[in-house]
Amino acid sequence: MPELPEVEFAVRRIRPLMVGRKVEEITAHHASQRRTLPARTRARIRGRRITAVERHGKHQLLRFDDGAALLVHFRLDGDWEAVSARGELPRHTRVSLLLSSGRTLALTDPRALCTIRYLAPGAPHGLALGPEPEDPTFTPAALRARLRAKRGPIKPVLLDQRLIAGVGNIYAGEACWHARIAPTA
């Protein structure tokens, strides 16, 4: 299950392959992605240059030269795979981007739970995320203050992305174990 470190690793891995490249073709291979990336949206992306690849919590933003972006979330099993331009796509490819470099980046997901959404130029990403764990203002005192405002079992509280961006099931469970706190407490 991709959590913040895995998503950050994916961003660092694909950034050099994507930034500065034009999207020659974008194809939605699964019905759920065809609904969120209809033909007219894919036409807007075609020919755009990717200017940045960023991570926000467990989400990725692929930014284009016109101010638009793609918001990508791996969910449980998603990941990016690079293949040669016209090479065989990996099994479970949900969306593929043929880039001007001659490489194809394939968003793969065996369970088809990954999401990809087009954001028009200037549109906010709409993510209600708390601070990133490495944010210098996110101190133990700040966490304590945020936790005091919450009610319920600790593990679901830790999973709330508005509390801390990027914490997933595995890290929430590990945090509870290391702190010797029952996840249901």
Side-chain angles (χ1 to χ4, degrees), residues 29-63:
H29 300 274
H30 191 269
S32 63
Q33 275 71 34
R34 283 191 294 273
R35 282 190 297 276
T36 59
L37 292 174
R40 68 183 180 282
T41 300
R42 294 192 310 269
R44 286 186 197 127
I45 295 168
R46 209 170 291 118
R48 302 271 40 121
R49 186 173 302 280
I50 300 170
T51 59
V53 178
E54 305 167 355
R55 182 196 52 77
H56 294 275
K58 295 189 281 183
H59 298 80
Q60 301 160 49
L61 275 171
L62 282 59
R63 296 199 181 271

Side-chain angles (χ1 to χ4, degrees), residues 88-107:
E88 185 176 336
L89 291 173
R91 188 172 180 207
H92 308 301
T93 295
R94 304 306 174 197
V95 174
S96 62
L97 291 94
L98 173 61
L99 303 176
S100 58
S101 65
R103 307 280 310 259
T104 296
L105 271 126
L107 178 58

